[in-house]
Amino acid sequence: MDPVIIVGAGPVGLTLALALARQEVPCVVLDEGPGKDEPRPARSVVLREDTTALLERLTGAPLTRAGSRWAGWQSMRRKQVTHEVTFDATAPAPVHIAQHVLTGALRAALARERLVGVAVDSRLDSLEQEPSGVTAHTRGARGTWWRGSYLVGCDGPRSTVRKLQDIRFPGRTAVERHAVAALRTELPWSDEALLHRMPPWRASGPFAGEITARPLPDGVWRLDWLLPPGKELVTPELLLARIRETLAGWAGGPTPPYELLDTGVHTVHHRLARRWRADRVFLAGDAAHLLGTLGTHGLDEGLRDADNLAWKLALAWHHGHHEALLDSYQAERRAIVSARLRAADQALPLLRGGGGLRSYVPGSARGHDALLVDGHLGQGPLGAPGGHAGSPLAPRDLEGEVPVDTPLGAPVTDVRVTAEDGTFVRLRDRLGRGALLVVLIAPGTGVWERRHWVSAGIMPRLAAAVAALPHPAELLVAESYPGAAAHTVLLVRPDGHLVTALGGVRPADLYAAAETVVGGPADTETAGTAGTEARAAAGAGSR
C-alpha cells in the first residue's frame, strides 16, 4: 500500500502524520515552507484538556510546561468582577502556548518517526484520483510526483486541495477583528487569564470595549483588543497608545514598564466546506472550517479532525477500503463544527449589542459574560467537545445497554485503569493505537495483583468475548467510572468516544457494537499491510 499524503505542515497536518505513524501507517507530509516556523509570540493557541492530552501523547513533550496553564479566569465589566473560575485537578485549565513552540514539538517528534517523510519546499499544484489511490504533483526546488493511498488537505484557509477538488467554502468574512500584542510585563495578577469588557478608561482610536489578557511563560502576556466592525486601519502608533492606556488602567497609575515582543491583527472568518471528503481526498482543519469568535478556537477543532480521521484511515489502510467508515468522518466532524458555528452566530448579535435578539439565543438567561466564559473555557455549545450520538457508527437497539454519566458518543472520562500487563495507566494513554478499548468496571481490583483476579469471576468470559470481536481490542479494568455500576462494560473508540455501556458481559451486544463502530465489513478483502516496502514508501514518491 502507498503512504498517506498529507498536504500542509501546520499543527493539524503534523498531528495527523504522528497519529497515523502511531498506528503503523506510513505517510509523507508536503510542506511548502522551509521546515521551520518563525517565532511569533503573538500567534498563540489555547488547547483544551482533551487536545492537550492528545498532543502530549503523540509528542511525548510536556506541553503544559512549554506553555502556560492558567490558575484561574476572571471576567470583568467596568471595575466589577462578574465571573471567577479557579482551576484544579477536577477542572483542569486550558494550556496557552505559542504556535511555533507547538509546531516545534510536533516536528521534533516526527523527526524520530521512521514511517513519516517530510518534503519541504513542496507546493501542491495538481492531483489526480484513481480507484486505487491518489497521484499528486508538487512544484518548487523539489517538485516531483507523489503516489498515495489517500490524501488529506491540511493546507489552511486558502487550501489548494479544496480548490483542486472544486469544493465550495461558503460563510462570512471578517466576523470579528482583534488587535494583538505580545509583551513582557507585570500585571496586577500573575497567572490568571482575564476578559475585561467596557473598561472604565477612555478608549483611544479604533478599539471596542473588550480586552482579553492571557499569560504565557516567562512573564509574557498576549493581549487582544476587539475592534469594531469595519476596516479602519490599526496603525502602530494607535496600538502603542492602546497598550500604554490599558496597562496604566489595570495598574491604576502610570504605565508600568513593558517590553513589546510582537504585534498583529487577527481576523476571524466563519466558513464551512460543503464536503470534507471527495473519494480518497479529505479536508481537515482550516481547509475544512474557519471559526474563532467569542473565545472558540479553530485549532482545537482541527486537532479533533485529525484524531477522528486518523484511526479511520489507519483501519482502511490496514484492512481494506471501508466506505461507511470513511464517510463517517464528514458526518461526525462537520455536524459538530456546524453546530458550533450556529451557536456562535446566534450569540454574536446579543453579545455585540443586539439585545433585542435575546429570545433567539438558547440559555441566554445565564447572561452575556457566562456565554463568553463558555467559549473561552471550552464549555457549553460554544466550547465543549462535541459528541457523536447521531453518528452512522453509533449502534442501535442494544438490549443490554445501561446508562453512565458519559452520554453515548461523548468523550470518556479519563480514569485510572489496569492494562493487560498489570500496570496502572490512565485511560487516555491507551487511545490512538487503532484498537477498540473494552473497560470492565470492577471495584476492589486495584488492591490486588492482576494474577489474582484475571481468571476469576466474569473475566474469562469477557476476555473470550473481546478476543472474538471483529476488530482488535484491548481489555482494561477500572475500579470505578462516573455513574457506572459494578460489572459495567464500556466499549470505547480509538479516539476516546464512548460507543456503549453494557450491564455485564453480553458477547452478542459487544460484537454488534464493535462491528457497527468500525463501519461493518470492509468493502474489499484486499487489506493493506505495514510491510517493509510500504513503510519505506513514506519517503519516496517519484513517478
Side-chain angles (χ1 to χ4, degrees):
M1 284 279 285
D2 294 311
V4 173
I5 299 173
I6 298 171
V7 182
V12 175
L14 298 175
T15 298
L16 179 59
L18 276 173
L20 287 170
R22 295 291 191 271
Q23 296 173 68
E24 294 294 312
V25 177
C27 53
V28 58
V29 179
L30 303 183
D31 182 359
E32 67 175 55
K36 60 182 179 179
D37 301 278
E38 177 188 1
R40 289 290 310 274
R43 191 178 185 187
S44 59
V45 296
V46 177
L47 303 173
R48 310 300 194 239
E49 181 189 7
D50 61 323
T51 49
T52 300
L54 166 68
L55 291 170
E56 290 191 330
R57 186 172 68 245
L58 291 174
T59 63
L63 297 181
T64 53
R65 294 204 296 269
S68 171
R69 193 182 279 279
W70 310 330
W73 170 275
Q74 284 191 55
S75 296
M76 294 183 65
R77 182 183 292 271
R78 299 188 188 278
K79 295 182 179 181
Q80 180 181 4
V81 176
T82 60
H83 200 111
E84 287 186 282
V85 176
T86 300
F87 300 112
D88 55 28
T90 61
V95 172
H96 186 208
I97 186 170
Q99 184 164 314
H100 70 272
V101 174
L102 173 59
T103 54
L106 289 165
R107 289 183 187 277
L110 276 178
R112 301 189 294 268
E113 278 295 341
R114 60 187 174 82
L115 293 179
V116 180
V118 180
V120 300
D121 299 320
S122 298
R123 181 177 179 82
L124 180 74
D125 62 6
S126 68
L127 67 88
E128 302 171 1
Q129 290 204 60
E130 303 167 12
S132 60
V134 181
T135 303
H137 183 265
T138 54
R139 66 186 184 205
R142 303 193 179 193
T144 187
W145 290 94
W146 303 85
R147 178 69 180 174
S149 53
Y150 298 95
L151 183 145
V152 186
C154 305
D155 49 344
R158 297 180 176 85
S159 170
T160 300
V161 174
R162 189 184 63 241
K163 293 172 184 175
L164 290 173
Q165 292 300 294
D166 196 25
I167 297 174
R168 294 185 59 200
F169 198 38
R172 296 199 291 148
T173 301
V175 180
E176 284 186 354
R177 290 195 308 148
H178 297 260
V180 182
L183 47 91
R184 184 175 283 109
T185 189
E186 290 188 12
L187 296 183
W189 57 96
S190 59
D191 52 3
E192 290 186 341
L194 172 72
L195 172 66
H196 198 167
R197 306 188 77 198
M198 302 175 66
W201 55 85
R202 178 189 175 98
S204 57
F207 292 86
E210 185 173 306
I211 313 165
T212 307
R214 303 182 184 95
L216 285 163
D218 302 322
V220 176
W221 291 82
R222 169 173 165 166
L223 306 186
D224 290 59
W225 293 266
L226 177 66
L227 301 174
K231 298 182 179 179
E232 190 171 352
L233 181 64
V234 179
T235 65
E237 293 76 17
L238 283 172
L239 183 54
L240 285 172
R242 191 57 167 146
I243 291 171
R244 291 192 290 266
E245 184 179 67
T246 299
L247 296 180
W250 283 336
T255 301
Y258 70 91
E259 178 188 1
L260 185 60
L261 304 175
D262 192 17
T263 62
V265 174
H266 174 54
T267 303
V268 177
H269 309 287
H270 277 183
R271 295 190 178 276
L272 186 65
R274 293 288 191 197
R275 293 179 293 141
W276 291 26
R277 180 191 177 198
D279 298 323
R280 289 178 173 265
V281 173
F282 300 82
L283 301 177
D286 286 352
H289 51 78
L290 295 174
L291 70 165
T293 58
L294 308 179
T296 62
H297 294 272
L299 178 60
D300 245 32
E301 294 301 340
L303 295 173
R304 293 186 182 113
D305 294 344
D307 197 25
N308 184 290
L309 182 58
W311 72 272
K312 298 173 181 178
L313 280 181
L315 193 151
W317 194 90
H318 285 293
H319 302 290
H321 196 71
H322 281 61
E323 197 70 28
L325 181 68
L326 297 176
D327 275 344
S328 72
Y329 166 65
Q330 173 178 308
E332 292 179 347
R333 290 298 306 145
R334 192 178 188 277
I336 287 173
V337 175
S338 178
R340 182 148 298 165
L341 282 170
R342 285 196 303 272
D345 285 342
Q346 287 176 330
L348 268 171
L350 174 66
L351 295 173
R352 301 304 185 221
L357 296 179
R358 180 184 298 272
S359 61
Y360 291 94
V361 182
S364 61
R366 294 175 298 165
H368 299 187
D369 294 327
L371 279 174
L372 281 170
V373 170
D374 276 357
H376 281 282
L377 300 187
Q379 304 166 350
L382 291 180
H388 305 314
S391 167
L393 303 183
R396 304 284 189 264
D397 303 322
L398 299 177
E399 292 183 1
E401 207 159 60
V402 295
V404 295
D405 286 357
T406 302
L408 298 182
V412 292
T413 300
D414 187 26
V415 297
R416 191 180 80 156
V417 296
T418 304
E420 292 181 342
D421 61 2
T423 59
F424 293 113
V425 295
R426 304 301 300 182
L427 180 55
R428 279 190 178 144
D429 292 340
R430 314 308 288 184
L431 300 177
R433 302 179 177 206
L436 299 172
L437 302 181
V438 178
V439 185
L440 171 66
I441 312 305
T445 51
V447 299
W448 299 98
E449 291 186 25
R450 180 178 181 274
R451 60 189 176 87
H452 292 306
W453 50 259
V454 70
S455 59
I458 65 173
M459 277 297 292
R461 186 165 175 242
L462 179 58
V466 171
L469 292 180
H471 185 74
E474 181 180 9
L475 177 56
L476 305 167
V477 178
E479 282 206 85
S480 64
Y481 187 88
H487 295 173
T488 298
V489 176
L490 310 178
L491 180 63
V492 182
R493 294 174 15 157
D495 58 355
H497 289 256
L498 180 65
V499 178
T500 188
L502 301 173
V505 181
R506 295 177 173 267
D509 281 350
L510 191 61
Y511 188 97
E515 186 173 49
T516 301
V517 82
V518 297
D523 303 325
T524 174
E525 295 182 1
T526 304
T529 63
T532 304
E533 297 85 356
R535 295 172 185 176
S542 59
R543 184 180 75 173

